[in-house]
Amino acid sequence: MTWVPGAADSLFGLDNLPYGVFSRPGEPARVGVRIADQVLDLAPVAELGDPASELAVAWRTPSLNAFMATGPAQWEVARRWITEVLRDDAHQERTAPHLHPLAEVQLHLPIQVGDYVDFYASEQHASNVGRMFRPDQEPLLPNWKHLPVGYHGRSGTVVASGTDIVRPCGQRKAPTEDEPTYGPSRRLDIEAELGFVVGVPTALGERVSTADFAAHTFGVVGLNDWSARDIQAWEYVPLGPFLGKSFATSISHWVTPLAALEAAWTDLPGQDPRPLDYLAVTEPAGLDIEVEVVLNGVVVSRPPYASMYWSPAQMLAHTTVNGASVRTGDLWGSGTISGSERDQRGSLLELSWGGKEPFLLDGVERTFLEDGDEVALRYTARGPSGSRLGLGEVVGRVVPAT
Amino acid sequence: MTWVPGAADSLFGLDNLPYGVFSRPGEPARVGVRIADQVLDLAPVAELGDPASELAVAWRTPSLNAFMATGPAQWEVARRWITEVLRDDAHQERTAPHLHPLAEVQLHLPIQVGDYVDFYASEQHASNVGRMFRPDQEPLLPNWKHLPVGYHGRSGTVVASGTDIVRPCGQRKAPTEDEPTYGPSRRLDIEAELGFVVGVPTALGERVSTADFAAHTFGVVGLNDWSARDIQAWEYVPLGPFLGKSFATSISHWVTPLAALEAAWTDLPGQDPRPLDYLAVTEPAGLDIEVEVVLNGVVVSRPPYASMYWSPAQMLAHTTVNGASVRTGDLWGSGTISGSERDQRGSLLELSWGGKEPFLLDGVERTFLEDGDEVALRYTARGPSGSRLGLGEVVGRVVPAT
């Protein structure tokens, strides 16, 4: 239990403690930890106490990168110390002045992103897309069950939750059109994903085995991979998505450390054929995380992360199997999370079956995003003793093309 | 003319002046400019004279990014001042102590890379690859002449010329094999490209028109996009190249400023159909740059950059047409440069026609790269009055898989 009011009934209690970057009016941005609806300013509290001064220095910076680079031993020191400070009444008097209501602070992009890779790890999502885009072929391409298919996205346009999304312009060509035209995307979409953040870097030529996942991965964020389906469909052969995705990728303000997710690990749905040795994992390798896709305040889908075919440890092992190095702040997305039911699909492309089967939103037929739409992705993970923990939500509003 | 000995007959004379980052033993890395076979340590010389102190501060840092961010007006101030200092004998006495032979300095990666995008702008290269990979279809896909096809690569594994290239491991599946296997790439290749470096950033939502190319682009580098063809062929559908490229991309130590290339502009080969308005360019929009692909000391190909279909200004305009921002240090590659003749092809894949038509190297049949091979890419551009200017070369040696 904690002396912080409201924490006991919160999705952000003492078992959770996600990190973020915040500022107060006129003050520099620095690292904080969330408890209930407040953020604890970590550096000044650390300077009152006894954690390694390395931590206080890292927490004074405007991104989590310096802290994430300290590695798992320091992450554990930090979490144990924060838990103690927030649990023990003896700390309350000198700590409470450094707790600020979320309503009174500004939250920022929590990490300085290195490389951003996006995967395609949901069998249901990949199958749905295959059925729509290549109706005359097997839904899954031959490589899909042998490796976690992924590609690099644009790290410079990863933005914090709350950033408005300007409808992108570009070349679009519908199958019924002879020539491409230039204009605003007519098929703007979301992809509900989970993102994973690298803490500990590697050298060029080094590989991260699936067993070393937690030695390099700091935590998870909510992630919305905004997608312009018409731009993407015209541009993507043969080198993959580019402008259809690169205009914006939103992530949550809060990074949930892996330590908070210990109770959330669950078995994968099962992999057949058995992957090559470098992709072998020890179960539980999946995560029990529930997602809600909320469009203009209405829940339109509840994708279950536990249904994902490829595990995060496999994605990191695959990314580095060729000797590619990772850096602190590298981010990878899981790919759209879609379950087997229609109301578990993580994109409007799937919810509206390519726009051909509109879904109802407050009684109105909808397909892709309209200007003014607000999308929120909300996440909860299985916590200790059957509780649920909140992950950072990802919000974005569509504004008209300029 | 300059008082620096050897500059008159050099590919790196007073008309050239590329920038790089160097260090001397025990000293920090900082910005220098190349003249003949020497590097001028810019910051201490600037502090003796009168250029804006902003420049001296930027030149004391270990990458070109701070200097590149100052923008075209400062780039011109710097170039005019450097030219004056190296031309006028009055500067010789106090400047000469800051000139260091290249043999006595270490050269570093010149830029801190933001996002790295790789294009596919040679019609001959795209056609050759299409003929080999999709023999039953039109060589060029329907989008190819409407937009410069490109994708994001891994910025964290962009390395400086001279870095050894460890043969990558990964999943490979030949068409004749039933299942993929894990192991070192058997089809390691090069791609001879030119790279372009962004100096002046944009905000999210802003577009860079083709006319504003020079207001944002600082200069060019040599670029070798190392490629594992077997890994790439198995992984690349439907999301594009990933591990087949992400293990390493080499760039030259020297960044040639656009100002040095004023005489190199030449007309594009011609674009039909006419591209959409946002891709319209004023000729001359291409570059007369000759490339030599040198394998173990033997020139095996001479790709002409002037044959490229899409211009660099079109690549930058396309990258930002959806509102994606660019950052100082963003890098884009042209894609493999291949001319219409066999001895103008910029990859071993094309030179050996997928390994089926070996080429002769010192009388020995060769296809893909072998351990111990050293590849050098050398570039010259048309300079003023019919002279040629050297661009930074890109060297890399293949070492065995680990």
Side-chain angles (χ1 to χ4, degrees), chain B residues 338-373:
Chain B
S338 288
S340 51
E341 305 300 319
R342 178 165 173 163
D343 61 1
Q344 294 181 325
R345 296 173 185 165
S347 69
L348 304 185
L349 176 75
E350 293 163 270
L351 284 168
S352 72
W353 207 251
K356 292 176 187 161
E357 300 174 14
F359 62 95
L360 287 178
L361 184 75
D362 274 343
V364 178
E365 288 200 338
R366 294 297 300 269
T367 55
F368 293 97
L369 290 171
E370 298 180 2
D371 290 344
D373 278 351

Side-chain angles (χ1 to χ4, degrees), chain A residues 112-120 134 141-144 146-157 159 163-164 166-171 173 178-182 204-205 207 231-232 234-248 273 276 278-279 315 318-327 330 401-402, chain B residues 112-120 134 141-144 146-157 159 163-164 166-171 173 178-182 204-205 207 231-232 234-248 273 276 278-279 315 318-327 330 401-402:
Chain A
Q112 186 184 333
V113 182
D115 273 296
Y116 163 48
V117 169
D118 197 26
F119 284 93
Y120 195 50
R134 298 176 296 274
L141 289 164
N143 58 13
W144 198 91
H146 292 277
L147 54 84
V149 170
Y151 69 103
H152 286 90
R154 191 165 187 83
S155 61
T157 52
V159 298
T163 305
D164 280 347
V166 179
R167 182 180 296 273
C169 289
Q171 288 198 30
K173 190 182 99 47
D178 288 337
E179 297 290 328
T181 56
Y182 172 83
L204 195 64
R207 299 181 184 104
I231 296 172
Q232 183 186 352
W234 170 232
E235 75 178 355
Y236 92 105
V237 282
L239 300 183
F242 182 35
L243 300 186
K245 304 274 195 173
S246 66
F247 54 97
L276 288 168
Y278 80 91
L279 291 171
M315 298 180 209
H318 188 63
T319 300
T320 61
V321 71
N322 67 347
S325 48
V326 293
R327 291 177 290 180
D330 277 1
T402 49
Chain B
Q112 186 184 333
V113 183
D115 272 295
Y116 164 48
V117 169
D118 198 26
F119 284 94
Y120 194 50
R134 298 177 296 273
L141 290 165
N143 58 12
W144 198 91
H146 292 278
L147 53 84
V149 170
Y151 68 103
H152 285 91
R154 191 165 186 84
S155 61
T157 54
V159 299
T163 305
D164 281 347
V166 180
R167 183 179 294 274
C169 290
Q171 288 197 30
K173 191 182 100 45
D178 289 336
E179 297 290 328
T181 57
Y182 172 84
L204 195 65
R207 300 180 183 104
I231 295 173
Q232 183 185 351
W234 171 232
E235 75 178 356
Y236 91 106
V237 282
L239 300 184
F242 182 35
L243 300 186
K245 304 274 195 173
S246 66
F247 54 97
L276 288 169
Y278 79 92
L279 292 171
M315 298 180 209
H318 188 63
T319 299
T320 60
V321 71
N322 67 348
S325 48
V326 293
R327 291 176 291 180
D330 277 1
T402 49

Side-chain angles (χ1 to χ4, degrees), chain B residues 210-211 268 271 275-286 311-314 317:
Chain B
T210 56
L268 295 173
Q271 300 185 326
L276 288 169
D277 286 347
Y278 79 92
L279 292 171
V281 283
T282 307
E283 295 285 11
S311 69
Q314 291 171 318

Side-chain angles (χ1 to χ4, degrees), chain A residues 3 44-45 48-50 81 85 89-98:
Chain A
W3 50 264
V45 182
L48 296 173
D50 58 359
W81 170 76
V85 162
D89 291 346
H91 292 280
Q92 180 171 0
E93 192 177 349
R94 59 185 194 173
T95 304
H98 301 287

Side-chain angles (χ1 to χ4, degrees), chain B residues 54-344:
Chain B
E54 188 188 1
L55 287 174
V57 171
W59 287 335
R60 285 231 174 266
T61 64
S63 91
L64 293 180
N65 287 44
F67 174 48
M68 297 195 299
T70 63
Q74 286 293 294
W75 306 340
E76 194 184 327
V77 166
R79 188 170 170 87
R80 202 180 310 130
W81 170 77
I82 293 167
T83 304
E84 167 67 20
V85 162
L86 293 174
R87 175 154 40 200
D88 190 335
D89 291 345
H91 292 280
Q92 180 171 359
E93 191 176 350
R94 60 184 192 173
T95 305
H98 301 287
L99 270 178
H100 306 290
L102 287 177
E104 295 176 11
V105 304
Q106 186 182 351
L107 296 171
H108 302 272
L109 187 69
I111 58 172
Q112 186 184 333
V113 183
D115 272 295
Y116 164 48
V117 169
D118 198 26
F119 284 94
Y120 194 50
S122 160
E123 181 173 0
Q124 287 77 19
H125 171 69
S127 300
N128 287 338
V129 172
R131 279 188 201 101
M132 282 184 266
F133 285 11
R134 298 177 296 273
D136 51 340
Q137 297 174 36
E138 283 291 310
L140 291 180
L141 290 165
N143 58 12
W144 198 91
K145 291 204 167 181
H146 292 278
L147 53 84
V149 170
Y151 68 103
H152 285 91
R154 191 165 186 84
S155 61
T157 54
V158 174
V159 299
S161 175
T163 305
D164 281 347
I165 303 303
V166 180
R167 183 179 294 274
C169 290
Q171 288 197 30
R172 317 142 310 173
K173 191 182 100 45
T176 54
E177 294 171 328
D178 289 336
E179 297 290 328
T181 57
Y182 172 84
S185 171
R186 303 172 184 125
R187 291 164 73 93
L188 186 60
D189 198 359
I190 59 157
E191 295 199 332
E193 306 193 11
L194 205 61
F196 298 84
V197 181
V198 172
V200 177
T202 62
L204 195 65
E206 203 177 323
R207 300 180 183 104
V208 181
S209 69
T210 56
D212 281 344
F213 169 74
H216 290 272
T217 307
F218 177 77
V220 307
V221 291
L223 188 150
N224 187 345
D225 177 32
W226 304 93
S227 299
R229 300 297 181 192
D230 42 0
I231 295 173
Q232 183 185 351
W234 171 232
E235 75 178 356
Y236 91 106
V237 282
L239 300 184
F242 182 35
L243 300 186
K245 304 274 195 173
S246 66
F247 54 97
T249 304
S250 299
I251 64 170
S252 59
H253 292 124
W254 300 106
V255 183
T256 305
L258 283 191
L261 297 174
E262 278 179 11
W265 293 105
T266 190
D267 285 357
L268 295 173
Q271 300 185 326
D272 181 21
R274 183 173 166 274
L276 288 169
D277 286 347
Y278 79 92
L279 292 171
V281 283
T282 307
E283 295 285 11
L287 285 165
D288 173 355
I289 292 176
E290 298 285 336
V291 190
E292 285 184 343
V293 179
V294 187
L295 179 54
N296 298 336
V298 178
V299 176
V300 295
S301 175
R302 298 180 197 274
Y305 194 83
S307 67
M308 299 295 270
Y309 189 90
W310 292 104
S311 69
Q314 291 171 318
M315 298 180 209
L316 182 58
H318 188 63
T319 299
T320 60
V321 71
N322 67 348
S325 48
V326 293
R327 291 176 291 180
T328 302
D330 277 1
L331 168 70
W332 77 90
S334 60
T336 309
I337 309 161
S338 288
S340 51
E341 305 300 319
R342 178 165 173 163
D343 61 1
Q344 294 181 325

Side-chain angles (χ1 to χ4, degrees), chain A residues 69-85:
Chain A
T70 63
Q74 286 293 294
W75 305 341
E76 193 184 329
V77 166
R79 188 170 170 87
R80 202 179 310 129
W81 170 76
I82 294 167
T83 304
E84 167 66 20
V85 162

